[in-house]
Amino acid sequence: MVDFLLCVVHCLCVYLQLLLFMQISFGDALITAGAQLTELDLSDNAFGPDGVRGFEALLKSPTCYTLQELKLNNCGMGIGGGKILAAALTECHKKSSSLGKPLALKVFVAGRNRLENDGTTALAEAFRLIGTLEEVHMPQNGINHAGITALAEAFKVNPLLKVINLNDNTFTDKGGIAMAEALKTLRQVEHINFGDCLVRSKGALAIAGALREGLHKIKELNLSFCEIKRDAAISLAEAIEDKSQLEKLDINGNGLGEEGCEHVQEILESYNMSSVLASLSDDEGDDDEDDDDDEEDEEEDDDDEEEEEDDDDEEEEEEEEEEGDEEEGNEQEKPKKFPQESTPSAPPRPPVDAAAFLSFPSPEKLLRMGQRRSAIIDQTDVTDTEKVVQAFIQIASVYRDDQEIKTAVEETVDDLMKKAFSSSVFQPDMFITSLLVKMGLLKSEEKIKAIPHLYGPLLSLNHIVQQDYFQKSLIPVLLAFISKPNNSLESQPQARHTLLQTLHNL
């Protein structure tokens, strides 16, 4: 076994040496040929920090003085590779500047490289020196607010920036505020992707301020899954009123709550911009009500204590009063109470259309749709498996034990799945696979955020598996995955048990 491991290590060392040699040889060949590169793309090669050393000389050479696009996505550079790369770019800029033609890099791509704060900060210094960037793509690099702040400072001296993609890093309030300050200075920005970056409400409010002050060319703003609450989301919606070029605003997966989602939609409708709002179907609900309840409980406790103190004071004052003041004849007449006039009942709320329900599903909306629920199925392209899965999840998410709601959900799901299973191009296997992925029960190569609550989907599945239209060949697959240990399933023991019992019986 030891010999085998030594052999594996030896092979890895040989591989790395060979890779380094190939990169050095590749660079030397380009330098010797006198090439003038405008684009260098080495993406999706796991060369790590040692690999960066392999083309370090190339980046410092006259071959790269004309470089405009550098793409190193998913290369595992790490912090060390980021620092080497930053130093090479800095030297390239200094050498080319001495010849009167400084490096004018426009596009920089380095996603999924584990650059973290130190690697990012080093690159930010190089960006400050270069000053000509138009696109920066650095998603999934484990960057925290310190690295984000360094990038923000670098962006301020790159006035031509059009695209900023920092998806899936960790801004927090500090990073969000720092980045917002940078955005105020930029006039050419068209695409911002800060999705899944934990910008939070304070950061979102700061970005809303930047929107009010500028960003007139913005076409897409992604702040999805950032722990943004209702008031901050409303502020963002209000800030885009004059953004005539905006094509998409994505604030899905935050904590707006149903009222917050409806408020945002109403604001955009008043601007005639409702089409730019991405789906809010993954909104995680407004938890401010719980906080308010806690605060109210604390206030009530304080009030109770104050009332007890007042009662004690009153008792002491009553003991000091003379007995003559307590005669019955001195009682004051209580004011007469008049019956309150009955207020007219509120008019019935108008029916909901399919688009309103799908943008933010709720039990009330499904009930208010009445016979119009068929429009949900009409708007779902059953030839597209992913759209069927999404519609199923949206309908199932409003499942409740209340009989009226339960019936409405089951009837709507039935209509959807009947139509899907009757289609000759519908792929039942793909439907189950995709549904399991979105429920967090099956891993995917792509990063997909699992739905947070499985109660509705589990019981909706329990319903459809019993119907004639459902293919029984899919039951073993469901049984296998629902039986496996899973934290999400364990949080819904009753719904899981119900589904498992049904699957076993079938």
Side-chain angles (χ1 to χ4, degrees), residues 35 40 67 76 130 140 196 203 212 267 370 454 476 501:
L40 178 60
L67 195 64
I130 293 169
Q140 297 183 32
D196 209 7
R212 290 189 182 92
I267 291 171
L454 296 184
Q501 192 173 36

Side-chain angles (χ1 to χ4, degrees), residues 2-12:
V2 174
D3 292 339
F4 173 74
L5 290 176
L6 289 173
C7 180
V8 170
V9 172
H10 176 71
C11 289
L12 286 173

